[in-house]
Amino acid sequence: MRWMMVAATGLTMTFAVHARDIGPDAGVSQLAAPGTFAPGTISGPAHDSAPAFAPDGATVYFTRSNAAQSTIFVSHRRGGHWSEPEVAPFSGEWNDMEPAFAPDGTWLVFVSNRPAVAGGAPIEATYNGGTQKGGNLWRVERKGGGWSAPVRLPDAVNPNPSTFAPSVAADGSLWFMTTDAGSGKFRLYRSAFRNGLYEAAKPLPFSDGSVTDVDPAVAPDESFVVFGSGRRPKVGIDLFIAFRDGDGWREPVWLGDRINSRGSDAEPRLGPDHATLYFSSERVVPVAFPRSRAQSEVDTARMLAWDDGNYNIWTVSLQPWLASARPSALVHAQP
């Protein structure tokens, strides 16, 4: 499945994973350990990933999946707590995943294998050595308190049936991942939105198809992007950040072994402040032995609720990384 390629209930506390400090080459001396996002509610026993926050931060759409199915859910923050997730009104009939809000919150893009034309066959694709559920990008518009019917986006942003992981810039331009025609590996693309139309997607210069690059999460002004990659010094699929530098891009920087774990770390997304990173990870909370019987019951309840080695959503501040970037990297220039 696409989300696995890169490879007690009601708990509200945040759990930190301990790892070594980021090395000096990253330019970040202090970085908090990631914490779990809404454990037992949004981060649950299934694979949970790809949160898309409304601009006010009070609503989140996200993917909940296993090896057979994928559905987009929605949760609302009320009284300081996230509500029990429900299937999003535009999801559930087909294999849907990876929602992404436009920065102004008026529309949302997501991935689906639903037929490209009414009455057609579900989208299938070939990647990772076999036939899989495919994906194209679909858009829904905010209509009062609900959503419009999904509309498939044009071929400029759906170049083939392996189109995944959209991210929307402030000007409407779309970033996404799809397979490279030569290597067959996933790489990152951008389709500029000009005069009401999407232009033919172009690959990002730092994603050349020689290694797997996935899941771009671009800042609204396109001054930086966080993405998953199999490039060195990756452990599984690891997270990297790249900064704009004038008209080009700096070499992507590994986010280090405090953010990246020994398993897969992917599906990065930016929070409403554009400086908080959310990502999905297979990591689990460390357990110290020997332990008391009472502690074993706590650990088991947590394992049954969410801490089971499937994808959960974790969060960490990007401020140290953003502060370490030279000012020129944060100056927007049209790609």
Side-chain angles (χ1 to χ4, degrees):
M1 301 303 295
R2 145 73 185 107
W3 52 90
M4 297 178 68
M5 95 169 160
V6 238
T9 301
L11 290 174
T12 57
M13 66 181 68
T14 295
F15 296 88
V17 170
H18 300 287
R20 297 188 301 276
D21 287 339
I22 299 299
D25 290 344
V28 179
S29 59
Q30 299 293 326
L31 184 69
T36 321
F37 176 52
T41 303
I42 293 175
S43 293
H47 283 281
D48 297 306
S49 62
F53 292 90
D56 65 2
T59 298
V60 62
Y61 291 81
F62 66 99
T63 305
R64 180 160 283 173
S65 62
N66 63 17
Q69 61 174 316
S70 180
T71 304
I72 297 173
F73 280 73
V74 60
S75 177
H76 305 279
R77 192 175 62 206
R78 298 174 179 136
H81 300 281
W82 289 97
S83 66
E84 188 65 26
E86 299 177 348
V87 175
F90 50 83
S91 186
E93 185 177 2
W94 299 98
N95 204 67
D96 303 325
M97 64 183 79
E98 299 176 329
F101 261 111
D104 66 2
T106 60
W107 50 279
L108 182 148
V109 179
F110 67 99
V111 175
S112 181
N113 78 327
R114 63 191 64 202
V117 295
I123 298 171
E124 290 188 341
T126 301
Y127 56 91
N128 291 345
T131 300
Q132 318 274 356
K133 293 183 180 70
N136 273 177
L137 305 186
W138 296 72
R139 174 169 167 162
V140 289
E141 305 280 341
R142 177 66 78 184
K143 297 292 184 182
W147 294 96
S148 67
V151 174
R152 182 183 177 272
L153 290 176
D155 290 346
V157 291
N158 281 311
N160 61 49
S162 302
T163 305
F164 300 103
S167 185
V168 188
D171 67 356
S173 297
L174 275 172
W175 292 50
F176 57 90
M177 58 179 266
T178 193
T179 47
D180 178 71
S183 68
K185 297 179 184 295
F186 280 101
R187 64 189 297 193
L188 307 184
Y189 286 77
R190 177 185 183 271
S191 174
F193 187 70
R194 294 191 178 96
N195 301 319
L197 298 173
Y198 288 103
E199 299 181 353
K202 297 179 180 179
L204 275 297
F206 53 81
S207 181
D208 62 9
S210 62
V211 296
T212 296
D213 291 331
V214 297
D215 306 333
V218 68
D221 65 356
E222 299 182 287
S223 59
F224 70 91
V225 61
V226 181
F227 63 99
S229 182
R231 66 186 65 204
R232 295 180 179 177
K234 61 96 177 178
V235 179
I237 287 292
D238 277 2
L239 297 178
F240 291 74
I241 189 169
F243 288 97
R244 178 173 299 289
D245 196 352
D247 292 331
W249 289 87
R250 296 194 210 170
E251 187 71 18
V253 175
W254 185 53
L255 284 183
D257 58 5
R258 184 178 289 271
I259 291 178
N260 290 300
S261 67
R262 294 182 179 180
S264 175
D265 300 283
E267 298 279 9
R269 297 293 187 273
L270 299 179
D273 64 357
H274 314 308
T276 301
L277 177 67
Y278 293 82
F279 64 98
S280 293
S281 178
E282 298 172 332
R283 72 190 69 199
V284 294
V285 174
V287 174
F289 296 97
R291 59 183 175 177
S292 67
R293 183 178 182 85
Q295 184 61 48
S296 73
E297 292 175 350
V298 170
D299 293 341
T300 300
R302 186 182 67 246
M303 177 173 61
L304 293 174
W306 65 274
D307 189 29
D308 56 3
N310 286 333
Y311 266 172
N312 286 297
I313 300 173
W314 296 73
T315 182
V316 69
S317 175
L318 279 176
Q319 285 290 3
W321 293 95
L322 303 182
S324 72
R326 294 195 308 271
S328 62
L330 302 179
V331 175
H332 174 66
Q334 191 69 28

